[in-house]
Amino acid sequence: METVKGKAYSKVNKKEKNRHFWKRFFSQKILYLMSLPFVLWVFVFNYLPVWGWTMAFQNFRPGRAFSEQEWVGLKHFIALLSDERFYLALRNTLAMSLLGLTIGFVVPIIFAVLLNEVRHSLFKRTVQTITYLPHFVSWVVVAGIVTKMLSTDGGIVNDLLLNFGFIDKPFQFMAEGTWFWGIVTAADLWKEMGWNAIIFLAAIAGLDSQLYEAAKVDGASRLRQMWHITLPGIRPTILVVLILNIGHLVSIGFEKQMLLGNSLVVDYSEVLELYALNYGIGLGQFSYGTAIGIFNSVVSIFLLFLANGIFKRYSNQSVM
């Protein structure tokens, strides 16, 4: 009897949920229609291209019909995992990603917290504007600036080091592979620090000002207020951004590495996406390049779900 009642209640509850959904759908139909173009855009540019992954399981030849392509199974993935160059590119990718995740993630948080403590509004707005403007500068321009600054012929860095007596002759920064990861990280930090800090400044702006007033009454210093109010207050934002950044550990792009790199530092500058570009487009091995892209995507998805699951379990914060 109880089972029959339970099933009946479940059916009624399901009908009620469906009725509630359609009622809400028709009441918000304008919002759904407004979102439709963006859903179509995501489908066309993010999901339809996944069909191209089939090339990784073929010996793809341009000009042939899909039915005429030769299927080779996991041949290209086996070749990928057998290539020493792949592991070198993977090492470079993970090294620069981890440097960017630690330095490029922590510094904007510190910058946002410190900038929030500035009481002079004009100075605060000026600093914020100056720091996020480099985000809109092309990496081509940034690479030119960095190369010129580190040049042995009139580069400001070498000139300063020579004048202060730290070195006896100009140092070739751009020819030393061991320096490349640090140069890329520093250039990326200068370019993106102000822009990445915006989301944390917005989160800080949403904190209740009464918390700070109560802390002042209790005699808390500004450092104590930052540590006990500001940072805990923006903790959910920090965790969400961290989860998303972890999901992009192996997908860091290739522009800065390609523009700042050269033949002398190629063993330190070649990342997975640049490796895929060189093999897939440069050598015409489209199937092999697609296999590299699939590896990037699968690892990124795995890292995203792993980070999301860990943070959801231990901190009750997640993006899904």
Side-chain angles (χ1 to χ4, degrees):
M1 187 68 178
E2 291 181 1
T3 305
V4 175
K5 287 183 178 179
K7 289 182 178 180
Y9 176 77
S10 179
K11 289 182 179 179
V12 172
N13 193 30
K14 188 175 181 180
K15 289 182 180 179
E16 185 65 26
K17 286 182 178 180
N18 290 336
R19 191 180 301 111
H20 179 70
F21 169 77
W22 288 111
K23 182 179 179 181
R24 185 175 59 181
F25 176 83
F26 285 111
S27 65
Q28 300 179 354
K29 56 182 180 297
I30 302 299
L31 295 177
Y32 283 103
L33 288 174
M34 290 173 63
S35 65
L36 186 60
F38 301 100
V39 174
L40 291 175
W41 184 88
V42 170
F43 178 75
V44 170
F45 291 100
N46 291 79
Y47 287 93
L48 282 183
V50 174
W51 173 256
W53 280 12
T54 55
M55 291 183 0
F57 307 96
Q58 305 169 338
N59 270 333
F60 180 78
R61 295 292 180 269
R64 292 185 182 181
F66 182 79
S67 58
E68 297 175 352
Q69 301 292 342
E70 178 189 358
W71 292 88
V72 295
L74 299 176
K75 173 185 174 182
H76 298 295
F77 292 95
I78 296 173
L80 174 66
L81 297 175
S82 303
D83 187 8
E84 293 181 0
R85 197 76 197 172
F86 164 74
Y87 292 102
L88 190 64
L90 180 61
R91 181 204 67 177
N92 298 335
T93 302
L94 292 176
M96 281 183 268
S97 294
L98 290 173
L99 283 172
L101 185 63
T102 52
I103 299 174
F105 177 74
V106 174
V107 173
I109 296 174
I110 297 173
F111 173 73
V113 172
L114 293 177
L115 188 62
N116 180 67
E117 295 299 315
V118 176
R119 293 294 176 258
H120 196 287
S121 59
L122 179 60
F123 178 77
K124 182 177 180 179
R125 290 197 301 268
T126 303
V127 171
Q128 186 176 358
T129 302
I130 292 173
T131 53
Y132 77 65
L133 280 179
H135 170 78
F136 301 99
V137 179
S138 168
W139 264 112
V140 177
V141 178
V142 173
I145 294 172
V146 172
T147 303
K148 183 60 180 175
M149 289 179 64
L150 299 176
S151 173
T152 57
D153 183 19
I156 186 172
V157 175
N158 271 305
D159 287 347
L160 289 174
L161 293 176
L162 286 169
N163 291 334
F164 284 104
F166 291 110
I167 56 177
D168 299 326
K169 59 181 180 179
F171 185 79
Q172 296 184 352
F173 290 96
M174 304 304 294
E176 292 290 333
T178 53
W179 283 81
F180 185 80
W181 296 345
I183 292 172
V184 170
T185 303
D188 189 57
L189 178 64
W190 172 78
K191 187 176 186 299
E192 303 294 343
M193 182 186 70
W195 181 261
N196 292 338
I198 290 177
I199 187 171
F200 301 114
L201 286 169
I204 293 173
L207 298 179
D208 190 353
S209 59
Q210 293 182 357
L211 295 174
Y212 293 97
E213 294 174 2
K216 289 178 183 178
V217 172
D218 291 337
S221 64
R222 296 178 70 175
L223 185 61
R224 287 288 183 181
Q225 293 174 38
M226 286 188 286
W227 184 255
H228 293 288
I229 299 177
T230 306
L231 288 176
I234 63 174
R235 179 171 171 266
T237 303
I238 292 174
L239 292 179
V240 169
V241 174
L242 179 60
I243 292 171
L244 295 176
N245 285 348
I246 291 175
H248 290 87
L249 272 179
V250 295
S251 302
I252 60 173
F254 63 90
E255 296 91 348
K256 46 185 177 287
Q257 289 82 9
M258 183 177 67
L259 293 168
L260 290 171
N262 53 67
S263 58
L264 298 174
V265 297
V266 66
D267 288 343
Y268 292 87
S269 65
E270 189 174 43
V271 293
L272 285 175
E273 294 190 17
L274 191 56
Y275 175 72
L277 181 67
N278 291 335
Y279 276 78
I281 305 299
L283 300 179
Q285 299 183 15
F286 303 107
S287 297
Y288 191 75
T290 305
I292 301 170
I294 292 177
F295 175 84
N296 275 357
S297 300
V298 171
V299 172
S300 296
I301 293 172
F302 171 76
L303 289 174
L304 178 62
F305 278 97
L306 179 64
N308 185 77
I310 292 173
F311 283 103
K312 187 175 183 179
R313 179 174 181 178
Y314 292 103
S315 64
N316 202 29
Q317 296 292 332
S318 65
V319 296
M320 291 177 283

CSV table of all heavy atoms in Angstrom, one decimal, residues 243-279:
chain,number,residue,atom,x,y,z
A,243,ILE,N,39.9,26.7,-9.9
A,243,ILE,CA,39.4,25.5,-10.6
A,243,ILE,C,39.5,25.7,-12.1
A,243,ILE,O,39.9,24.8,-12.8
A,243,ILE,CB,38.0,25.2,-10.1
A,243,ILE,CG1,37.9,24.8,-8.7
A,243,ILE,CG2,37.4,24.1,-11.0
A,243,ILE,CD1,36.5,24.6,-8.1
A,244,LEU,N,39.0,26.8,-12.6
A,244,LEU,CA,39.0,27.1,-14.0
A,244,LEU,C,40.4,27.1,-14.6
A,244,LEU,O,40.7,26.6,-15.7
A,244,LEU,CB,38.3,28.3,-14.4
A,244,LEU,CG,36.8,28.3,-14.1
A,244,LEU,CD1,36.2,29.7,-14.3
A,244,LEU,CD2,36.0,27.3,-14.9
A,245,ASN,N,41.4,27.7,-13.8
A,245,ASN,CA,42.7,27.8,-14.2
A,245,ASN,C,43.4,26.4,-14.2
A,245,ASN,O,44.2,26.2,-15.1
A,245,ASN,CB,43.5,28.8,-13.3
A,245,ASN,CG,43.2,30.2,-13.6
A,245,ASN,OD1,42.6,30.6,-14.6
A,245,ASN,ND2,43.6,31.1,-12.7
A,246,ILE,N,43.1,25.6,-13.3
A,246,ILE,CA,43.6,24.2,-13.3
A,246,ILE,C,43.2,23.5,-14.5
A,246,ILE,O,44.0,22.7,-15.1
A,246,ILE,CB,43.2,23.5,-12.0
A,246,ILE,CG1,43.9,24.1,-10.8
A,246,ILE,CG2,43.5,22.0,-12.1
A,246,ILE,CD1,43.5,23.5,-9.4
A,247,GLY,N,42.0,23.7,-15.0
A,247,GLY,CA,41.5,23.0,-16.2
A,247,GLY,C,42.2,23.4,-17.4
A,247,GLY,O,42.1,22.8,-18.5
A,248,HIS,N,43.0,24.6,-17.4
A,248,HIS,CA,43.7,25.0,-18.6
A,248,HIS,C,45.2,24.9,-18.4
A,248,HIS,O,46.0,25.5,-19.1
A,248,HIS,CB,43.4,26.5,-18.8
A,248,HIS,CG,42.0,26.7,-19.3
A,248,HIS,ND1,40.9,26.9,-18.4
A,248,HIS,CD2,41.4,26.8,-20.6
A,248,HIS,CE1,39.8,27.1,-19.1
A,248,HIS,NE2,40.1,27.0,-20.4
A,249,LEU,N,45.6,23.9,-17.6
A,249,LEU,CA,47.0,23.7,-17.3
A,249,LEU,C,47.8,23.4,-18.6
A,249,LEU,O,48.9,23.8,-18.8
A,249,LEU,CB,47.3,22.7,-16.2
A,249,LEU,CG,47.3,23.2,-14.8
A,249,LEU,CD1,47.5,22.0,-13.8
A,249,LEU,CD2,48.4,24.2,-14.6
A,250,VAL,N,47.2,22.5,-19.4
A,250,VAL,CA,47.9,22.1,-20.6
A,250,VAL,C,47.4,22.9,-21.9
A,250,VAL,O,47.9,22.5,-23.0
A,250,VAL,CB,47.7,20.6,-20.9
A,250,VAL,CG1,48.4,19.8,-19.8
A,250,VAL,CG2,46.2,20.2,-21.0
A,251,SER,N,46.6,23.8,-21.7
A,251,SER,CA,46.1,24.6,-22.8
A,251,SER,C,46.4,26.1,-22.6
A,251,SER,O,45.5,26.9,-22.3
A,251,SER,CB,44.6,24.4,-23.0
A,251,SER,OG,44.2,23.1,-23.2
A,252,ILE,N,47.7,26.4,-22.7
A,252,ILE,CA,48.1,27.8,-22.4
A,252,ILE,C,48.4,28.6,-23.6
A,252,ILE,O,48.9,29.7,-23.5
A,252,ILE,CB,49.4,27.7,-21.5
A,252,ILE,CG1,50.5,27.0,-22.3
A,252,ILE,CG2,49.2,27.1,-20.2
A,252,ILE,CD1,51.9,27.1,-21.6
A,253,GLY,N,48.0,28.1,-24.8
A,253,GLY,CA,48.2,28.9,-26.0
A,253,GLY,C,49.6,28.7,-26.5
A,253,GLY,O,50.4,27.9,-25.9
A,254,PHE,N,50.0,29.4,-27.5
A,254,PHE,CA,51.3,29.3,-28.1
A,254,PHE,C,51.9,30.7,-28.6
A,254,PHE,O,53.0,30.7,-29.0
A,254,PHE,CB,51.3,28.4,-29.3
A,254,PHE,CG,50.4,28.9,-30.5
A,254,PHE,CD1,51.0,29.7,-31.5
A,254,PHE,CD2,49.1,28.6,-30.5
A,254,PHE,CE1,50.2,30.1,-32.5
A,254,PHE,CE2,48.3,29.0,-31.6
A,254,PHE,CZ,48.9,29.8,-32.6
A,255,GLU,N,51.1,31.7,-28.5
A,255,GLU,CA,51.5,33.0,-29.0
A,255,GLU,C,52.8,33.5,-28.4
A,255,GLU,O,53.8,33.9,-29.1
A,255,GLU,CB,50.4,34.1,-28.9
A,255,GLU,CG,49.1,33.7,-29.7
A,255,GLU,CD,48.1,32.9,-28.8
A,255,GLU,OE1,48.5,32.4,-27.7
A,255,GLU,OE2,47.0,32.8,-29.2
A,256,LYS,N,52.8,33.6,-27.1
A,256,LYS,CA,53.9,34.2,-26.4
A,256,LYS,C,55.2,33.3,-26.5
A,256,LYS,O,56.3,33.8,-26.7
A,256,LYS,CB,53.7,34.5,-24.9
A,256,LYS,CG,53.0,33.3,-24.1
A,256,LYS,CD,52.6,33.8,-22.7
A,256,LYS,CE,51.9,32.7,-22.0
A,256,LYS,NZ,50.5,32.6,-22.4
A,257,GLN,N,55.0,32.0,-26.5
A,257,GLN,CA,56.1,31.1,-26.7
A,257,GLN,C,56.7,31.2,-28.1
A,257,GLN,O,57.9,31.2,-28.3
A,257,GLN,CB,55.7,29.7,-26.5
A,257,GLN,CG,55.5,29.3,-25.0
A,257,GLN,CD,54.1,29.7,-24.5
A,257,GLN,OE1,53.3,30.1,-25.3
A,257,GLN,NE2,53.9,29.6,-23.2
A,258,MET,N,55.8,31.3,-29.1
A,258,MET,CA,56.3,31.4,-30.5
A,258,MET,C,57.0,32.8,-30.8
A,258,MET,O,58.0,32.8,-31.5
A,258,MET,CB,55.1,31.3,-31.5
A,258,MET,CG,55.5,31.3,-32.9
A,258,MET,SD,54.1,31.0,-34.0
A,258,MET,CE,53.1,32.5,-33.8
A,259,LEU,N,56.5,33.9,-30.2
A,259,LEU,CA,57.0,35.2,-30.5
A,259,LEU,C,58.3,35.5,-29.7
A,259,LEU,O,59.2,36.1,-30.2
A,259,LEU,CB,55.9,36.2,-30.1
A,259,LEU,CG,54.7,36.2,-31.0
A,259,LEU,CD1,53.6,37.1,-30.4
A,259,LEU,CD2,55.0,36.7,-32.4
A,260,LEU,N,58.4,34.9,-28.5
A,260,LEU,CA,59.6,35.2,-27.7
A,260,LEU,C,60.6,34.1,-27.9
A,260,LEU,O,61.8,34.3,-27.5
A,260,LEU,CB,59.2,35.2,-26.2
A,260,LEU,CG,58.4,36.4,-25.7
A,260,LEU,CD1,57.9,36.2,-24.3
A,260,LEU,CD2,59.2,37.7,-25.8
A,261,GLY,N,60.2,33.0,-28.4
A,261,GLY,CA,61.2,31.9,-28.6
A,261,GLY,C,62.1,32.1,-29.9
A,261,GLY,O,61.8,32.9,-30.7
A,262,ASN,N,63.1,31.3,-30.0
A,262,ASN,CA,64.0,31.2,-31.1
A,262,ASN,C,64.7,29.9,-31.2
A,262,ASN,O,64.4,29.0,-30.3
A,262,ASN,CB,65.0,32.4,-31.1
A,262,ASN,CG,65.8,32.4,-29.8
A,262,ASN,OD1,66.6,31.5,-29.5
A,262,ASN,ND2,65.6,33.4,-28.9
A,263,SER,N,65.5,29.7,-32.2
A,263,SER,CA,66.1,28.3,-32.4
A,263,SER,C,67.0,28.0,-31.2
A,263,SER,O,67.3,26.8,-31.0
A,263,SER,CB,66.8,28.3,-33.7
A,263,SER,OG,67.8,29.3,-33.7
A,264,LEU,N,67.5,28.9,-30.5
A,264,LEU,CA,68.5,28.6,-29.4
A,264,LEU,C,67.8,28.1,-28.2
A,264,LEU,O,68.4,27.5,-27.3
A,264,LEU,CB,69.3,29.9,-29.1
A,264,LEU,CG,70.2,30.5,-30.2
A,264,LEU,CD1,70.8,31.8,-29.8
A,264,LEU,CD2,71.3,29.4,-30.6
A,265,VAL,N,66.5,28.4,-28.0
A,265,VAL,CA,65.8,28.1,-26.8
A,265,VAL,C,64.6,27.2,-27.1
A,265,VAL,O,63.7,27.0,-26.3
A,265,VAL,CB,65.3,29.3,-26.0
A,265,VAL,CG1,66.5,30.1,-25.5
A,265,VAL,CG2,64.4,30.2,-26.9
A,266,VAL,N,64.6,26.5,-28.3
A,266,VAL,CA,63.4,25.8,-28.7
A,266,VAL,C,63.1,24.6,-27.8
A,266,VAL,O,62.0,24.2,-27.6
A,266,VAL,CB,63.6,25.3,-30.2
A,266,VAL,CG1,64.8,24.3,-30.2
A,266,VAL,CG2,62.4,24.7,-30.7
A,267,ASP,N,64.2,24.1,-27.1
A,267,ASP,CA,63.9,22.9,-26.2
A,267,ASP,C,63.2,23.4,-24.9
A,267,ASP,O,62.7,22.5,-24.2
A,267,ASP,CB,65.3,22.3,-25.8
A,267,ASP,CG,65.9,21.5,-26.9
A,267,ASP,OD1,65.2,21.2,-27.9
A,267,ASP,OD2,67.1,21.2,-26.9
A,268,TYR,N,63.1,24.7,-24.7
A,268,TYR,CA,62.4,25.2,-23.5
A,268,TYR,C,61.1,26.0,-23.9
A,268,TYR,O,60.3,26.3,-23.1
A,268,TYR,CB,63.3,26.1,-22.7
A,268,TYR,CG,64.5,25.4,-22.1
A,268,TYR,CD1,65.6,25.2,-22.7
A,268,TYR,CD2,64.3,24.9,-20.8
A,268,TYR,CE1,66.7,24.5,-22.1
A,268,TYR,CE2,65.4,24.3,-20.1
A,268,TYR,CZ,66.6,24.1,-20.8
A,268,TYR,OH,67.6,23.4,-20.2
A,269,SER,N,61.0,26.4,-25.2
A,269,SER,CA,59.9,27.2,-25.6
A,269,SER,C,58.8,26.4,-26.3
A,269,SER,O,57.6,26.9,-26.4
A,269,SER,CB,60.4,28.3,-26.6
A,269,SER,OG,60.9,27.7,-27.8
A,270,GLU,N,59.0,25.2,-26.8
A,270,GLU,CA,58.0,24.5,-27.5
A,270,GLU,C,57.0,23.9,-26.6
A,270,GLU,O,57.3,23.0,-25.8
A,270,GLU,CB,58.6,23.4,-28.4
A,270,GLU,CG,57.7,22.8,-29.4
A,270,GLU,CD,58.3,21.8,-30.3
A,270,GLU,OE1,59.2,21.0,-29.9
A,270,GLU,OE2,58.0,21.8,-31.5
A,271,VAL,N,55.8,24.3,-26.6
A,271,VAL,CA,54.7,23.8,-25.8
A,271,VAL,C,53.8,22.9,-26.7
A,271,VAL,O,54.0,22.8,-27.9
A,271,VAL,CB,53.8,24.9,-25.2
A,271,VAL,CG1,54.7,25.7,-24.1
A,271,VAL,CG2,53.3,25.9,-26.2
A,272,LEU,N,52.8,22.3,-26.1
A,272,LEU,CA,52.0,21.3,-26.8
A,272,LEU,C,51.3,21.9,-28.0
A,272,LEU,O,51.2,21.3,-29.1
A,272,LEU,CB,51.0,20.6,-25.8
A,272,LEU,CG,51.6,19.6,-24.9
A,272,LEU,CD1,50.5,19.1,-23.9
A,272,LEU,CD2,52.2,18.4,-25.6
A,273,GLU,N,50.7,23.1,-27.8
A,273,GLU,CA,50.0,23.7,-28.9
A,273,GLU,C,50.9,24.1,-30.1
A,273,GLU,O,50.5,24.0,-31.2
A,273,GLU,CB,49.1,24.8,-28.4
A,273,GLU,CG,48.0,24.4,-27.4
A,273,GLU,CD,47.1,25.5,-27.1
A,273,GLU,OE1,47.0,26.5,-27.8
A,273,GLU,OE2,46.3,25.3,-26.1
A,274,LEU,N,52.1,24.6,-29.7
A,274,LEU,CA,53.1,24.9,-30.7
A,274,LEU,C,53.6,23.6,-31.4
A,274,LEU,O,53.9,23.6,-32.6
A,274,LEU,CB,54.2,25.7,-30.1
A,274,LEU,CG,55.2,26.4,-31.0
A,274,LEU,CD1,54.5,27.3,-32.0
A,274,LEU,CD2,56.3,27.1,-30.2
A,275,TYR,N,53.7,22.6,-30.6
A,275,TYR,CA,54.2,21.3,-31.1
A,275,TYR,C,53.1,20.8,-32.1
A,275,TYR,O,53.4,20.3,-33.2
A,275,TYR,CB,54.3,20.3,-30.0
A,275,TYR,CG,54.6,18.9,-30.3
A,275,TYR,CD1,55.8,18.5,-30.8
A,275,TYR,CD2,53.7,17.9,-30.1
A,275,TYR,CE1,56.1,17.2,-31.1
A,275,TYR,CE2,53.9,16.6,-30.4
A,275,TYR,CZ,55.2,16.2,-30.9
A,275,TYR,OH,55.4,14.9,-31.1
A,276,ALA,N,51.8,20.9,-31.8
A,276,ALA,CA,50.8,20.5,-32.7
A,276,ALA,C,50.7,21.3,-34.0
A,276,ALA,O,50.5,20.8,-35.1
A,276,ALA,CB,49.4,20.6,-32.0
A,277,LEU,N,51.0,22.6,-33.8
A,277,LEU,CA,51.0,23.5,-35.0
A,277,LEU,C,52.2,23.2,-35.9
A,277,LEU,O,52.0,23.1,-37.1
A,277,LEU,CB,51.1,25.0,-34.5
A,277,LEU,CG,51.1,26.1,-35.6
A,277,LEU,CD1,49.8,26.1,-36.3
A,277,LEU,CD2,51.5,27.4,-35.0
A,278,ASN,N,53.3,22.9,-35.3
A,278,ASN,CA,54.5,22.6,-36.2
A,278,ASN,C,54.3,21.3,-36.9
A,278,ASN,O,54.7,21.2,-38.1
A,278,ASN,CB,55.8,22.5,-35.3
A,278,ASN,CG,56.2,23.9,-34.8
A,278,ASN,OD1,55.8,24.9,-35.3
A,278,ASN,ND2,56.8,23.9,-33.6
A,279,TYR,N,53.8,20.3,-36.3
A,279,TYR,CA,53.6,19.0,-36.9
A,279,TYR,C,52.3,19.0,-37.8
A,279,TYR,O,52.3,18.4,-38.9
A,279,TYR,CB,53.5,17.9,-35.9
A,279,TYR,CG,54.8,17.4,-35.4
A,279,TYR,CD1,55.6,18.1,-34.5
A,279,TYR,CD2,55.4,16.2,-35.9
A,279,TYR,CE1,56.9,17.7,-34.1
A,279,TYR,CE2,56.6,15.7,-35.5
A,279,TYR,CZ,57.4,16.5,-34.6
A,279,TYR,OH,58.6,16.0,-34.2
